[in-house]
Amino acid sequence: MIQAIVLAFLAGLMGTNGIPHFVTGITAREYPNLTGNSATNNAVGGLAAFAIAGALLALAQVGDHPRAALVAGSLGVVGMTVFHARRGAYRLSVHFGKPLPKI
């Protein structure tokens, strides 16, 4: 059950993290990204995050512990939502000395 909880939580984090990167990427805007702020890097990064989230869910064997996985995944979604709502990506870019996107 621990495996399902941990992997579902990480899947929630990764899947939610992919949303702002993918959306800004396909709308040709820049967004803070450790691999570079370009729209292309963000679109590809968002797709990669979705793929990783799907792989984590497959490995989590959600069917064996559906309630625990749902709660854990939901907590991952909430955590990443709060991170992005509080401009965490911008703060991480500054912390790691990466340039901020042009507005």
Side-chain angles (χ1 to χ4, degrees):
M1 174 144 85
I2 297 295
Q3 177 181 337
I5 291 170
V6 170
L7 293 177
F9 176 79
L10 293 174
L13 285 175
M14 288 303 296
T16 305
N17 189 47
I19 295 169
H21 294 285
F22 181 74
V23 170
T24 56
I26 65 168
T27 55
R29 293 181 290 145
E30 291 188 353
Y31 189 75
N33 188 331
L34 291 177
T35 63
N37 299 335
S38 75
T40 303
N41 285 3
N42 277 287
V44 171
L47 284 175
F50 296 152
I52 292 168
L56 288 168
L57 279 178
L59 292 171
Q61 299 176 350
V62 174
D64 293 344
H65 306 285
R67 287 189 184 118
L70 177 63
V71 170
S74 298
L75 289 173
V77 168
V78 169
M80 191 54 69
T81 298
V82 171
F83 172 80
H84 280 290
R86 298 192 65 181
R87 299 183 53 84
Y90 288 91
R91 284 188 278 137
L92 276 180
S93 286
V94 169
H95 178 75
F96 287 112
K98 297 283 186 176
L100 292 176
K102 300 171 195 140
I103 297 175

